[in-house]
Amino acid sequence: MALNLTEDELQLLAALPQSIGSAVAFAGRSGLFGTGKEMFASGQALMAGVKDYPGNELIQAIVPDPSAADKAAELDQARKTRDWAMARLKAKGITSAEKLTAQTLDDAREVAQLLASKVDPAQAAQYRQWALGVAEKVAMASTEGGFLGFGGTRLSDDEKKLIAELRGALGA
């Protein structure tokens, strides 16, 4: 099945899981090291999409494959998505974690409509599962509220609330 999506729609679909990872990392207030762990987990969860959903044409089209023969093309794709997302955030005046979270939820609602209207239902369900998996992996990467990495909780109330909002916005 050929993807019937515009370049901007593909970029939005590619950028949303990254935005989700960032929003969840900021929601956790894990401190410098915890946020670093969460951003690393976000990158790992994003790249896992290629391996975890090998038959999903949509995910395969939007996630760079590190094992691809043409590494330059894959890097170029990743840069293109990053540049598109950064230009969009700048154009929309996203200058704080709160604004990023609000925009991410708006984008998730827009993606839900795209998935419902233009993507095979099975592939759309896998995309939702993958995107929400990014949120959960980021949230679980570090503890919140501890001291120097000791104590605290694995999933903060703010993270739980944001993941629930994302689940609703994505129609999952």
Side-chain angles (χ1 to χ4, degrees):
M1 176 181 108
L3 295 173
N4 182 27
L5 298 161
T6 68
E7 186 61 30
D8 271 352
E9 289 168 342
L10 282 169
Q11 290 297 351
L12 178 62
L13 287 160
L16 179 64
Q18 296 172 10
S19 295
I20 286 173
S22 296
V24 172
F26 292 136
R29 294 176 176 76
S30 306
L32 181 61
F33 293 113
T35 301
K37 277 187 194 175
E38 289 175 337
M39 295 312 290
F40 183 73
S42 177
Q44 285 185 314
L46 287 167
M47 299 309 286
V50 169
K51 173 173 62 69
D52 294 345
Y53 302 99
N56 188 304
E57 185 181 7
L58 173 60
I59 293 173
Q60 297 301 314
I62 61 175
V63 179
D65 182 355
S67 66
D70 189 354
K71 299 225 185 304
E74 297 296 316
L75 270 173
D76 187 51
Q77 177 189 345
R79 276 191 210 99
K80 191 172 166 186
T81 297
R82 181 201 62 210
D83 293 349
W84 181 91
M86 295 308 288
R88 191 164 178 271
L89 291 177
K90 188 175 182 182
K92 291 185 174 279
I94 307 301
T95 56
S96 68
E98 294 76 21
K99 287 181 181 179
L100 174 68
T101 298
Q103 185 61 52
T104 299
L105 288 166
D106 286 346
D107 288 349
R109 285 185 275 278
E110 188 176 339
V111 161
Q113 290 176 340
L114 270 177
L115 293 173
S117 63
K118 291 190 166 189
V119 178
D120 170 75
Q123 289 192 28
Q126 288 178 336
Y127 176 93
R128 284 185 192 93
Q129 185 178 6
W130 169 60
L132 290 167
V134 170
E136 290 162 2
K137 286 175 184 160
V138 169
M140 299 301 282
S142 183
T143 55
E144 325 303 335
F147 180 72
L148 297 176
F150 298 100
T153 59
R154 188 52 80 179
L155 199 59
S156 73
D157 289 341
D158 288 342
E159 288 169 330
K160 287 178 193 170
K161 179 178 179 259
L162 178 55
I163 291 170
E165 288 173 337
L166 288 164
R167 191 176 309 283
L170 271 172

